[in-house]
């Protein structure tokens, strides 16, 4: 399916969470469990508060689709796009699966997610232009930090404070507080 047909297909099946990989395969995503959904919301709120105070970009939830340069349409759990990049898109582009790779993304592993699948998605985001990405694995109690220079830092605990670094200046997320 081309971009328009895939968008229409998603609109006709709006009760489903769908992504498309770079080869054009449609991926049906299962809903997250309640705990994961609440955890995701708490993180989204923290990023939203930071963004409201700083006004550097736009924050998006897990139901937002982005068309990556490789043709994949992905929906990160939490994402953020710099204002200048978002504002350069037409209203029509913003209304569909915006042809922009988020500058920052978070993927949170749920029970239905395979770790290898998420790691591959993280690699795809970085290869597509994401500057900073966090993969939070509650089940193995690890956090992977991916950077644009292709470095990956692994933290063997989820009881840490994460920094938005230069991508999100001044943003800090205390995962221990979010997990309470």
């Amino acid at each position: 399916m081309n971009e328009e047909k895939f968008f229409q297909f998603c609109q006709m099946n709006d009760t489903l969470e769908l992504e498309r990989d770079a080869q054009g395969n449609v991926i049906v995503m299962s809903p997250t469990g309640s705990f994961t959904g609440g955890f995701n919301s708490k993180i989204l709120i923290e990023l939203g508060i930071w963004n409201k105070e700083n006004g550097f970009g736009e924050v998006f939830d897990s139901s937002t689709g982005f068309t990556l340069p490789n043709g994949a349409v992905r929906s990160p759990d939490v994402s953020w796009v710099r204002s200048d990049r978002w504002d350069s898109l037409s209203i029509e582009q913003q209304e569909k699966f915006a042809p922009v790779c988020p500058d920052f993304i978070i993927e949170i592993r749920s029970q239905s997610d395979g770790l290898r699948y998420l790691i591959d998605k993280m690699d795809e985001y970085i290869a597509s232009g994401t500057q900073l990405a966090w993969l939070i694995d509650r089940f193995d109690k690890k956090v992977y930090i991916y950077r644009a220079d292709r470095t990956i830092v692994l933290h063997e605990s989820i009881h840490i404070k994460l920094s938005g670094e230069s991508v999100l200046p001044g943003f800090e997320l205390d995962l221990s507080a979010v997990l309470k």
Side-chain angles (χ1 to χ4, degrees):
M1 287 183 261
N2 67 21
E3 293 301 312
E4 184 62 31
K5 287 183 180 177
F6 182 65
F7 183 78
Q8 289 174 0
F9 177 75
C10 291
Q11 300 310 297
M12 292 185 316
N13 295 283
D14 63 349
T15 58
L16 298 174
E17 295 282 333
L18 302 169
E19 287 186 331
R20 184 178 68 194
D21 67 16
Q23 290 73 43
N25 299 306
V26 176
I27 301 154
V28 179
M29 312 287 287
S30 70
T32 62
S34 298
F35 184 90
T36 301
F39 183 69
N40 187 358
S41 294
K42 290 174 186 174
I43 292 172
L44 183 69
I45 289 167
E46 293 296 318
L47 182 60
I49 291 168
W50 171 86
N51 194 63
K52 184 177 180 182
E53 291 171 353
N54 294 281
F56 294 143
E58 298 291 328
V59 177
F60 301 93
D61 70 5
S62 61
S63 57
T64 306
F66 296 96
T67 302
L68 303 183
N70 66 4
V73 175
R74 297 295 187 183
S75 301
D77 291 324
V78 177
S79 55
W80 179 85
V81 177
R82 280 189 344 251
S83 291
D84 62 313
R85 297 181 66 234
W86 181 252
D87 293 343
S88 72
L89 300 173
S90 70
I91 297 298
E92 183 179 309
Q93 289 173 314
Q94 292 175 356
E95 287 291 336
K96 296 191 176 178
F97 301 134
V100 63
C101 184
D103 296 285
F104 171 71
I105 68 100
I106 301 173
E107 288 285 357
I108 301 165
R109 185 176 178 199
S110 64
Q111 283 187 316
S112 62
D113 290 329
L115 183 58
R116 180 77 252 161
Y117 175 72
L118 290 175
I119 288 171
D120 289 345
K121 280 177 71 172
M122 300 302 277
D123 291 338
E124 181 179 48
Y125 289 128
I126 294 297
S128 297
T130 294
Q131 300 299 299
L132 179 66
W134 300 341
L135 171 54
I136 302 170
D137 182 351
R138 293 186 308 106
F139 301 100
D140 288 340
K141 297 183 178 17
K142 295 179 181 177
V143 177
Y144 302 78
I145 299 173
Y146 290 75
R147 295 189 180 101
D149 66 3
R150 305 289 173 116
T151 59
I152 302 169
V153 175
L154 172 62
H155 293 277
E156 299 279 347
S157 172
I158 56 174
H159 296 285
I160 61 172
K161 287 185 180 178
L162 297 169
S163 168
E165 302 177 8
S166 63
V167 178
L168 306 168
F171 180 62
E172 191 171 85
L173 180 67
D174 184 346
L175 279 180
S176 294
V178 174
L179 283 165
K180 289 184 181 181

